[in-house]
Amino acid sequence: MKQEKITVVGLGPGRFGLITLESWQLMQQAKNLVLRTRIHPTAEEIEKRGLTFSTYDGFYEEAPDFETLYTHIAKDLLRRAEEEGDIVYAVPGSPLVAERTVVLLREMAKASPVTVEILPGMSFVEVLYTRLGIDPIEGLTILDAEDVNTLKDRPAQSLVITQVYDPIIASDTKLMLMDLYPDEYEVTYIHNLALPDESIRKIPLYELDRQKDVDHLTSLFIPAK
């Protein structure tokens, strides 16, 4: 009996050309192509090239919090694979960098007849290393904005905060970081990395939630100094 499979691929950090060739070929061949969200610059480019896909954007409106949302998505992917056959599931960036649905999917698949294969992809951090001239071997902590409250002490190494989704999260992140860093500590604000309108600028920490372009493509780099 054929075992159904979910293959997870990454859409890269934002520019279509940063999708791996292997992932693109799989998406072209997929009978069931599912994107976690179409709110990603690459989604429009995929559509322009004639691919059809479904997304989980409708789930975002129903879920009370992100953990419930991601759990719901992972469960639905396994259900759909059992009922509809193999799925190619595409997520922003790399499947293994700051992608909670993939973590949950791997765990849930252990008790399911569905197998999960994860392909490597480029995340925003590879572009960030290039733009900021960072060598990660010198030490780097990467945290989701939702997890900044887990920091009890100021890290010895530089810090990257991902997914600063909106002004509310930016404000919460700022307040938590100001317990560890001076209010005027210089940080690097990163928006639309790898896109034509990319913006990388240095600001004092206290101005984080005053930026006019905060959205799902916003990150923050805090140097160790």
Side-chain angles (χ1 to χ4, degrees), residues 100-143:
R100 181 64 176 158
T101 61
V102 176
V103 174
L104 293 168
L105 185 61
R106 294 174 77 180
E107 287 300 313
M108 293 179 188
K110 294 175 182 177
S112 164
V114 177
T115 60
V116 174
E117 179 181 4
I118 301 172
L119 299 187
M122 181 181 282
S123 75
F124 81 99
V125 292
E126 284 82 18
V127 182
L128 184 142
Y129 299 154
T130 304
R131 296 289 192 270
L132 300 185
I134 298 169
D135 184 349
I137 200 69
E138 296 175 2
L140 191 67
T141 296
I142 302 174
L143 282 179

Side-chain angles (χ1 to χ4, degrees), residues 202-216:
K202 293 183 179 180
I203 61 171
L205 177 58
Y206 73 86
E207 289 188 356
L208 174 58
D209 56 347
R210 302 180 189 177
Q211 306 306 302
K212 302 299 184 183
D213 52 356
V214 174
D215 64 16
H216 62 288

Side-chain angles (χ1 to χ4, degrees), residues 8-225:
V8 187
V9 301
L11 295 175
R15 195 166 69 239
F16 177 79
L18 298 180
I19 298 176
T20 68
L21 179 59
E22 181 182 29
S23 295
W24 176 237
Q25 289 174 338
L26 276 172
M27 285 191 281
Q28 288 178 301
Q29 298 163 5
K31 293 182 178 178
N32 292 312
L33 175 59
V34 183
L35 273 59
R36 173 164 66 76
T37 177
R38 71 175 301 123
I39 305 175
H40 186 274
T42 307
E44 184 178 349
E45 292 300 320
I46 291 172
E47 213 163 28
K48 286 180 181 177
R49 287 163 173 78
L51 272 61
T52 58
F53 54 81
S54 60
T55 78
Y56 282 109
D57 289 319
F59 282 31
Y60 282 74
E61 301 170 5
E62 303 168 2
D65 53 62
F66 281 115
E67 188 66 14
T68 302
L69 167 68
Y70 297 150
T71 300
H72 191 184
I73 290 173
K75 287 180 178 178
D76 191 71
L77 282 165
L78 291 169
R79 177 194 63 77
R80 288 182 62 177
E82 289 189 57
E83 296 177 0
E84 303 170 20
D86 294 350
I87 289 175
V88 174
Y89 175 51
V91 299
S94 164
L96 292 174
V97 177
E99 186 53 54
R100 181 64 176 158
T101 61
V102 176
V103 174
L104 293 168
L105 185 61
R106 294 174 77 180
E107 287 300 313
M108 293 179 188
K110 294 175 182 177
S112 164
V114 177
T115 60
V116 174
E117 179 181 4
I118 301 172
L119 299 187
M122 181 181 282
S123 75
F124 81 99
V125 292
E126 284 82 18
V127 182
L128 184 142
Y129 299 154
T130 304
R131 296 289 192 270
L132 300 185
I134 298 169
D135 184 349
I137 200 69
E138 296 175 2
L140 191 67
T141 296
I142 302 174
L143 282 179
D144 187 290
E146 295 280 335
D147 297 323
V148 174
N149 61 352
T150 63
L151 288 173
K152 303 305 179 188
D153 298 294
R154 180 168 161 176
Q157 63 269 56
S158 295
L159 180 63
V160 173
I161 308 295
T162 70
Q163 304 189 76
V164 185
Y165 273 99
D166 56 37
I168 294 174
I169 293 177
S171 178
D172 290 344
T173 300
K174 178 191 77 172
L175 292 172
M176 287 183 281
L177 289 173
M178 283 167 58
D179 288 336
L180 306 174
Y181 300 87
D183 295 3
E184 296 189 1
Y185 198 82
E186 187 176 78
V187 301
T188 303
Y189 180 90
I190 303 158
H191 183 251
N192 284 357
L193 193 64
L195 294 175
D197 59 347
E198 168 185 284
S199 178
I200 299 175
R201 54 192 188 263
K202 293 183 179 180
I203 61 171
L205 177 58
Y206 73 86
E207 289 188 356
L208 174 58
D209 56 347
R210 302 180 189 177
Q211 306 306 302
K212 302 299 184 183
D213 52 356
V214 174
D215 64 16
H216 62 288
L217 295 177
T218 299
S219 300
L220 193 66
F221 174 72
I222 306 168
K225 289 188 177 177

